Structure formats: C-alpha cells, structure tokens
Amino acid sequence: MDLNSASTVVLQVLTQATSQDTAVLKPAEEQLKQWEIQPGFYSVLLNIFTNHTLDINVRWLAVLYFKNGIDRYWRRVAPHALSEEEKSTLRAGLITNFNEPVNQIATQISVLIAKVARLDCPRQWPELIPTLLESVKIQDDLRQHRALLTFYHVTKTLASKRLAADRKLFYDLASGIYSFACSLWNHHTDTFLQQIFTGDETAATNSLERTLLSLKVLRKLTVHGFVEPHRNVEVMVNNFSRNNHEIKSIGTENVCRDRLEKTIILFTKVLLDFLDQHPFSFTPLIQRSLEFAVSYVFTEAGEGVAFERFIVQCMNLIKMIVKNYAYKPSKRFEDSSPETLEAHKIKTSFFTYPTLMEICRRLVSHYFLLTEEELTMWEEDPEGFTVEETGGDSWKYSLRPCTEVLFIDIFHEYNQTLTPVLLEMVHSLQGPTNVEDTNALLIKDAVYNAVGLAAYELFDSVDFDQWFKNQLLAELQVSHNRYKPIRRRVIWLIGQWISVKFKSDLRPMLYEAIRNLLQDLDLVVCIQKHDFEFRTDQFLPYLESMFTLLFQLLQEVTECDTKMHVLHVLSCVIERVNIQIRPYVGCLVQYLPLLWKQSEEHNMLRCAILTTLIHLIQGLGADSKNLYPFLLPIIQLSTDVSQPPHVYLLEDGLELWLVTLENSPCLTPELLRIFQNMSALLGESL
C-alpha cells in the first residue's frame, strides 16, 4: 500500500466509518477489514491519527484500528503478520512526538505503545525506555504529561508479564530506572506542594496529575520490580512525612481535591500491594505503617482531613498486618523463622493495652454508630437499607463493613486483652435506655453490634442465656418507635449467638418475641438474619401465626433480595415441620404462580421459589398433584437446556422434578411429557 496514494483513500473510508448512516458505515467497515492485512495499512493509520488537523472522530477510529491490529498481526507467527521493516518504522513513528492534544486519544496511543512494548521491549525496541526517560524531563507541559502517561502504561504492561525470562527482564529494568522514578515522583510532589501553598491552583492541578502518574509508575516498579525489595535502599526509604503533607493539604479548599484524594489512595495501595507481595520486606515498615494508619483513623490527627476511602484503606492496612500469616509464630516459638519473630515482636510492641483499648473503643463508639443518613434511609426505605447493609457491589470500599471486619480480626487476635474492655462497655448499658436520649440508644446499638460480631470469642465470658432472660427479652418488648433500632439490633444479636450459646428451652420465649416483630416491616432484617434451627415440638404452637405473618411479609416486600430471604425462611419452616404444614399452605400455593410470573427477569428469585416448592412438595406428599398445572411447566422450563434460564434453574429444577416423581400417586401423561428434556440433559452431561 503506497502511503501517498493510500492516505487519501483510507482517510475517506475512515470518515465514512464514523457515519451514523448504516448504508455508509457498513461498506466502510468491510473495506477497512479487507485492508487490515495489506502491507503499509498501519503506517497510513499512524500518519492519520498523528495528524492533529484531522477530525477527532476519524483520528480516534484510526487509533482503535491500529491497536486492534497489534493484537492480531504484530506477532511474527500470526497469519498475515506485519513485516519487520514496517514494524521498525511504526515503532520509530510512535515515539517521535509526545504531543497529542486530545486526552482520550493520548490515552489510546499510550496503551497501544504499551502493547507493542509487551511484545518487543527491550529486545526489538531497546530505544523505547531511554526515549521515555528523556521525554519526561521535557519542560513543555503537554509533552511531559504525554510521555509520563506512556511511561506508566509501558511499565504497567511490562510488570504484568509472568514468564520467568520476562520477570528477569523487568527486574533488570526496575533496578536501572528505580532511582530516576523516585526522583521524578519527589520532584512533582515538591512542585505540587509549593504551588498549593502559594495558591497557584491551576499549576498545582497540573503538577498533581504528574505526581499521580509518577506514583503509578513507582507502584509497579516497587511491587513487581524486585525479588527482595528490602535489599534496595531506595525502595525502603519511606515517604510517610511527604504523604502527611499531602493529606494535610486536603484540609485547604482547593480545586484539585478529588485528584489529591486519588493520589493519597494510590499511596496506600502501594503499601497494601507491597505488604501483600513482600510481607518480610515490609517488616521494617510495620511500625511506621501502623503509626500512620492508627494516627489518622483513631486519633484527632485525622479529624477534618481523613476522608472515607482513605479511612477504609488505612483500616485494610491495619487488618492485613494483624492477620498476616507470615507474621504469626508457630505454637513452638523455636520453630518460627527469625523474620517471623521479628515482625511479631514489632506488632506486639505496637499493640499495647492502651492502644488496643483505644482502637476498640473508637471502633465501637465512633465507627459503629448509625449515622443520621442511615437512620433516615431505614425510616424511608427499610428494605433498601437492609439490602445495602448486608452487602452490595461497593462492599469492599464501604466504611461500615470494613470497620466490622477490622473489629473481628483485632478482637480475634487480641481477645484476652479486649474482652474485658468490651464487657465493661456492656455492663455500663444494663437496664432500659431512655428513649429520649438518641446518643445513648446509638451507643447501645453499637455495643450490641460488637458483642454479636465477637460472639465466638466471648463464648466463655458471657452468660448469654441469663442476659437474654434478664435484659434482651425485655428490650424486645419496648414498643416505643424510637426504640426500634434497639429491637432490631437485639434480634440480630440473638441470631448471632443462637448457634454459639442459647438453651433450647428458651426458644419458645424467642418465638413469641419474633411473632410480635414480624408485624413490623421495618424490622424485616430480623427475619433475614435469624437462625431457624428449632425443635418442631417447640415451634408447632406458633406455626400457624408465624407462617401467616411470613406470608404477609412476602406479599408486602418489594425488593428481590428481601423476597428471597423471606422465601428461604418459609422453606426452612416447611422443611422442618413437614406434613404438619398442610393446613396452612393454601395461601402460599395460590401466590407462588403470581410471584413466578413477576420474577421473570430475576433468576435468583426463581431459584428460591424452586427451593420452596421442593420442600412444599415433600410436605404435601401425594396432595401435591393439585399443583401440577403450575408445577409441571416450571419443571419443564427449568430442565430445558435450550432455554437460557436453565443455566440458573437446572440444578434446583432437577431436584424438584425428582421430588415431584417421588411424591406422585401415579405417572400421568403430563409428567411423562417432561421426559422429552431427558435426552438433551444426558447429552449435555456427556
């Protein structure tokens, strides 16, 4: 493909490929697909996307086609592979200028350079890294930023290679450029701090962007660039004081706060990754890391500057140090390595009684407290609050679950020290709490939360049966609206302890209390969490009322997750009482077809319905034949491998099919018809 004659033609077709008119778009895409294997095509694309006078959409498309071509045709063994001569020309052209003005295109160019680097650097592209190192020194802001962006993507890509030979090459690269990367980060950080304190926010924003990129480079080199990082002095030189300055600058109002927070979070990621990958190399940093994290999370130092995501990261850092298996000595100390004993010694010297007591008290009395926002959400949308609280996509980065996990881990590790501290908090809350004292109610909720989380650790220290009879049961009976958080927390607390220490002869009193709570939708969480391991004879007096209330609850709730939880409880009840459920299931049998229809887009809810039907058929026995008009089409759908939902429903559907056959009084034509699915099922299993 001659560059001069082809450029105009390719540019025209690329322009057509950006059209919204499919009549123009489709032929253009087909033509580009044919050109993908033509020699010189990628050189033309390079000329087009580096020409800043052309339309942005056209240049963007040219970059994407170039990037896809690297994946398909850059390797020597690929069909229609690019020639070595053309690849050499392309490599040189890619790093001639780092002056792309459009951010999105600049990012794509950096990514495609990194893709080439993954295949060719350093053997076929030895000049790439030296060129990048020189380019990041350029004083021109745009060129420096684009070079730094490319430097990051190249480093990230090379760090991800896992073959031993590639790892060795990256170790060599890291040892050669680490000092420069450190100086680069220090320079941009110093520049940012000077500019932020002099009030030059525009310049500070630009410098902070470079600080962030250089720290990203440093993160990859630090974590993946050394077999034994502790043997490299520069790697182990800590930057806590510098990061402290960055954190403190958050307290000032400035336009780059979001970027600054991202930089600080990235710094914590460096520590977390380093600890995860090199626990023994991290040993010299344990003391400073704990001082740093505990200071900002559990003392006044963090007030006004520590933001939620940073607190979460600090808690994760403390948790990883506390739980780290490499830092735990064997039961016989003499069997432990010197590195383990050294790390354990540092941990022990840091976590003194006053420190542990303060951490425990702050976790419970500060971080466990329900916020005004949470209370409002619970009041306005109790189901939504419950679903959010029991875990969502953002769980890992959410403050509340993070604090609870940290509490559990620290309490488990130091339970002998912390048990008296928590028990003292419990004893201070004996008796009913004034419903007008909101803070006291929130404190009680938080302490009860802690006792529930630490249930297994407190087994020998708490007489839960006496506590239940003397205080908790009475608190469940306080009907005042402001006491609702305590009623909710108490029933959750019992759910945590019931499998740890709870006498069976107390359960009737508990069932009585639950029956009253079931009439309050706001306390639906108690149904989701409660353990329904019970003795049937104890539960039978409550069966009719409980089943009726649970069914009403199933109809009232709207969240898919909540319906699944209520169905799970109903299934447990049906399973335990078996045939004794028969007088009470009429309403549920009539409702399930409607619920099945409503759940067409929710396969997990349909799985819960299938489980309920399994137990229902077992309870009804031969009477289950009355359900066939609804039941058999469900089995047909769930076991039909040609239907997309079978991916979710097949296992439960097969079990329901088996249970239906076992309880069928006779083999009907409708039951036989389902066997049409069997040949496909057997074929899939083979």
Side-chain angles (χ1 to χ4, degrees), residues 222-286:
T222 301
V223 176
H224 302 290
F226 301 91
V227 179
E228 296 179 310
H230 59 280
R231 298 190 183 280
N232 185 300
V233 176
E234 283 187 289
V235 173
M236 300 309 294
V237 171
N238 71 73
N239 291 282
F240 285 103
S241 59
R242 178 174 303 282
N243 200 65
N244 284 338
H245 287 310
E246 289 186 347
I247 295 171
K248 288 171 183 174
S249 66
I250 278 197
T252 63
E253 290 295 325
N254 59 75
V255 295
C256 53
R257 181 185 177 100
D258 289 346
R259 220 70 181 139
L260 182 56
E261 288 186 0
K262 287 182 179 179
T263 305
I264 292 167
I265 291 303
L266 183 60
F267 175 81
T268 62
K269 287 181 178 179
V270 176
L271 292 174
L272 289 166
D273 289 351
F274 191 62
L275 172 57
D276 181 58
Q277 296 292 319
H278 308 283
F280 288 129
S281 292
F282 192 86
T283 299
L285 302 177
I286 291 176

Side-chain angles (χ1 to χ4, degrees), residues 567 571 574 588-589 592-593 596 606-620 624 627 630-631 634-635 656 659-660:
L567 274 173
S571 296
I574 295 169
L588 181 62
V589 168
L592 285 179
W596 180 266
R606 285 195 160 185
C607 287
I609 296 172
L610 290 175
T611 302
T612 304
L613 284 170
I614 290 168
H615 298 309
L616 196 55
I617 299 305
Q618 290 171 327
L620 291 174
S624 61
L627 298 183
F630 162 59
L631 182 64
I634 286 181
I635 298 174
L656 179 59
V659 168
T660 301

Side-chain angles (χ1 to χ4, degrees), residues 46 71 143 158 198 210 287 381 506 546 570 606 641:
L46 176 63
D71 293 330
R143 293 174 187 270
L158 296 180
T198 57
R210 288 158 180 71
Q287 180 73 23
D381 181 15
L506 294 177
M546 288 283 230
L570 280 167
R606 285 195 160 185
V641 296

Side-chain angles (χ1 to χ4, degrees), residues 343-358:
H344 179 70
K345 179 181 177 182
I346 296 171
K347 277 176 52 181
T348 303
S349 67
F350 179 83
F351 286 112
T352 60
Y353 174 77
T355 300
L356 287 169
M357 183 176 66
E358 184 60 25

